[in-house]
Amino acid sequence: MSSPSGSAAAGSGEPPAPDAPSGDPETTAPGGPATAATPTTSTPDPPAAPGVKDVVVSDFRQTGPTSATATVGITTDGTGPVSITVSWFTGRAAGPLGTQDGPSQTFERSGATQYTLTVDHTFQNVGCYWAVQATTTPASADGGASQQLLTRRCDLR
């Protein structure tokens, strides 16, 4: 007596083979090919750069014969990264910023929507007027902020 196709011969000691779809069982599933269970890793996207709504320079004051301090406030519409650049200037006349005094300082911030920095500077150049300017990347809607002061050591006659 012959055995049906797909099953073991009687008396061989092997159980009959179950009916299985053709192909490798790891790559074929009922109703079509199986998708591989490949693990995927994804890195969360960094926060998008926020829009900078406002930059303010406040409390700009002379603290010594050649030094000053300024407080810079930044308001954004998101928590993504923002760069704040603070530059210092000396001049002989009120109004224009004058000549840059030393390198700019850049600060990186993220995780909030408001930041306050207090920055100190020792001036190297001579000038009756000192100025500080703050700008951001991305650029602020108001273009940044600056303040100027007449130094205590200057005698205008």
Side-chain angles (χ1 to χ4, degrees):
M1 184 167 168
S2 67
S3 61
S5 174
S7 60
S12 70
E14 294 181 33
D19 291 332
S22 63
D24 183 2
E26 298 207 19
T27 59
T28 306
T35 56
T38 305
T40 58
T41 57
S42 63
T43 304
D45 292 332
V52 179
K53 297 176 2 180
D54 192 30
V55 178
V56 176
V57 174
S58 62
D59 195 30
F60 179 39
R61 58 190 165 87
Q62 186 172 352
T63 56
T66 60
S67 60
T69 188
T71 301
V72 179
I74 297 91
T75 302
T76 67
D77 64 3
T79 60
V82 63
S83 294
I84 303 112
T85 300
V86 178
S87 303
W88 305 88
F89 301 86
T90 59
R92 297 192 184 280
L97 291 176
T99 304
Q100 186 163 342
D101 189 87
S104 298
Q105 298 166 276
T106 300
F107 304 89
E108 303 290 329
R109 297 291 185 267
S110 65
T113 57
Q114 292 188 330
Y115 306 98
T116 301
L117 305 171
T118 300
V119 187
D120 299 315
H121 182 71
T122 300
F123 287 89
Q124 305 301 313
N125 298 321
V126 177
C128 285
Y129 293 90
W130 292 345
V132 60
Q133 179 183 53
T135 58
T136 59
T137 302
S140 69
D142 62 5
S146 64
Q147 264 197 30
Q148 188 176 57
L149 61 78
L150 174 62
T151 65
R152 291 189 299 250
R153 69 181 180 181
C154 191
D155 185 14
L156 296 176
R157 293 183 203 209

